[in-house]
């Protein structure tokens, strides 16, 4: 009887240790499964005629928070080519990657790789836009977004042209030092509306005190501000100075994830 009791105790101890070992392995294992990601490029307005950039690839770094050049994977970008960033405003964007499958876990960074055909047009004059760092290693955007298995994510890359274009003092060179904001489309909301009178270049911007998103109205006066985190925003409508119309501000505009906050028609008088 004593021998049987000892045998049972030993067996229970072995089973307990085995269970704990399995539990430890489960808690430290990497996320299982895959997720799909899409990437869209858009832009905030800038005070230039045109800003052309050549997009040649999009790369991602998943489950790798290192700062070196290891771990990058091309998402096999579609719709590559030369784009005028100033046309990608007001809800207009270009799809660069479409449902590319990656391991689930954490999307640490996105890299936008540019080619050599980058130019800027100022007062009708075309000048080269220097992007040495972009050509060598790509434009790295910190994301650190969790990717759950079997989910699809769309990432919006929002260029800020005014902040990204730098005119060097003495040399006169024009350099691209990109300021890009990344957001997840499914985790953001939209502000839209229309501005009257039409035919006037009008900029609409929204700020929550941390981020600012802006766009020009189109020829019909319509605008759309996308990629907005939920919260309260101040919307500022700024018509061209030559119109002599006043700037109008709308306070406490609420944005909810997955929703479009429609401001209706705003008339500048």
């Amino acid at each position: 009887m004593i021998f049987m009791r000892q045998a049972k105790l030993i067996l229970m101890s072995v089973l307990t240790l085995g269970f704990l070992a399995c539990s430890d392995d489960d808690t430290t294992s990497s996320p299982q499964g895959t997720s799909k990601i899409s990437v869209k490029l858009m832009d905030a307005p800038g005070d230039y005629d045109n800003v052309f950039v050549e997009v040649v690839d999009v790369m991602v770094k998943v489950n790798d928070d290192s700062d070196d050049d290891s771990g990058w994977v091309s998402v096999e970008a579609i719709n590559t080519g030369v784009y005028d960033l100033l046309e990608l405003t007001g809800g207009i964007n270009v799809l660069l990657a479409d449902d590319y499958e990656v391991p689930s876990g954490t999307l640490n960074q996105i890299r936008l790789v540019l080619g050599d055909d980058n130019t800027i047009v100022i007062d009708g004059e075309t000048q080269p836009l220097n992007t040495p760092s972009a050509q060598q290693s790509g434009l790295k955007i910190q994301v650190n977004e969790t990717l759950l298995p079997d989910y699809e994510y769309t990432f919006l890359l929002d260029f800020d042209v005014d902040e990204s274009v730098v005119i060097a003092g003495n040399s006169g060179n024009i350099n691209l030092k990109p300021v890009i904001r990344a957001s997840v489309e499914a985790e953001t909301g939209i502000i839209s509306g229309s501005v009257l009178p039409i035919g006037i270049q009008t900029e609409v911007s929204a700020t929550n005190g941390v981020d600012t998103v802006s766009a020009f109205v189109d020829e019909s006066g319509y605008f759309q501000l996308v990629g907005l985190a939920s919260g309260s925003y101040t919307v500022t409508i700024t018509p061209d100075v030559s119109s002599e119309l006043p700037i109008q501000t709308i306070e406490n505009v609420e944005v909810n994830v997955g929703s479009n906050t429609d401001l209706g028609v705003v008339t500048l008088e």
Side-chain angles (χ1 to χ4, degrees):
M1 293 294 292
I2 295 175
F3 172 78
M4 291 296 292
R5 289 175 183 172
Q6 289 176 338
K8 288 181 180 179
L9 287 173
I10 292 173
L11 180 59
M12 290 177 64
S13 298
V14 170
L15 291 174
T16 302
L17 289 172
F19 174 77
L20 290 174
C22 292
S23 298
D24 288 343
D25 288 343
D26 289 342
T27 56
T28 58
S29 60
S30 299
Q32 300 297 311
T34 60
S35 309
K36 290 184 178 181
I37 62 173
S38 299
V39 179
K40 295 179 180 180
L41 180 66
M42 61 185 190
D43 176 52
D47 192 20
Y48 307 100
D49 297 344
N50 310 93
V51 178
F52 296 103
V53 297
E54 182 185 16
V55 179
V56 298
D57 199 6
V58 178
M59 307 181 77
V60 296
K61 182 177 280 196
V62 180
N63 296 325
D64 184 349
D65 60 1
S66 64
D67 291 328
D68 56 33
D69 283 333
S70 65
W72 287 102
V73 176
S74 170
V75 297
E76 301 174 3
I78 60 175
N79 297 324
T80 57
V82 177
Y83 292 96
D84 182 1
L85 292 176
L86 298 186
E87 292 185 355
L88 304 179
T89 64
I92 299 173
N93 55 62
V94 58
L95 181 66
L96 297 179
D98 188 18
D99 286 344
Y100 186 82
E101 192 171 274
V102 298
S104 300
T106 301
L107 175 59
N108 300 95
Q109 297 182 67
I110 296 177
R111 172 185 280 177
L112 185 64
V113 184
L114 302 184
D116 298 319
D117 193 5
N118 307 296
T119 56
I120 186 169
V121 182
I122 303 175
D123 295 331
E125 181 181 352
T126 300
Q127 302 180 57
L129 184 59
N130 303 312
T131 56
S133 62
Q135 294 161 8
Q136 294 168 12
S137 61
L139 313 175
K140 300 176 184 178
I141 305 108
Q142 293 289 336
V143 181
N144 295 322
E145 181 71 28
T146 299
L147 304 179
L148 299 176
D150 302 322
Y151 275 71
E152 298 179 2
Y153 298 83
T154 298
F155 291 89
L156 305 174
L157 303 185
D158 188 6
F159 249 93
D160 188 330
V161 166
D162 273 341
E163 294 291 332
S164 301
V165 175
V166 179
I167 301 177
N170 296 328
S171 65
N173 292 333
I174 303 178
N175 302 318
L176 182 64
K177 296 184 177 180
V179 175
I180 304 175
R181 186 177 65 94
S183 60
V184 184
E185 191 172 49
E187 297 179 356
T188 59
I190 298 171
I191 296 176
S192 65
S194 297
V195 179
L196 294 177
I198 62 173
I200 298 172
Q201 187 180 57
T202 302
E203 181 180 1
V204 182
S205 64
T207 182
N208 60 2
V210 177
D211 296 317
T212 300
V213 176
S214 57
F216 284 118
V217 302
D218 63 17
E219 56 266 1
S220 67
Y222 178 76
F223 69 88
Q224 190 178 77
L225 305 175
V226 301
L228 300 172
S230 61
S232 181
Y233 286 78
T234 297
V235 175
T236 303
I237 302 172
T238 308
D240 188 275
V241 175
S242 62
S243 70
E244 298 184 350
L245 291 171
I247 296 174
Q248 187 161 329
T249 301
I250 305 173
E251 303 281 356
N252 301 318
V253 177
E254 291 297 325
V255 172
N256 297 304
V257 170
S259 299
N260 180 2
T261 302
D262 188 353
L263 297 182
V265 178
V266 179
T267 302
L268 302 178
E269 296 177 332

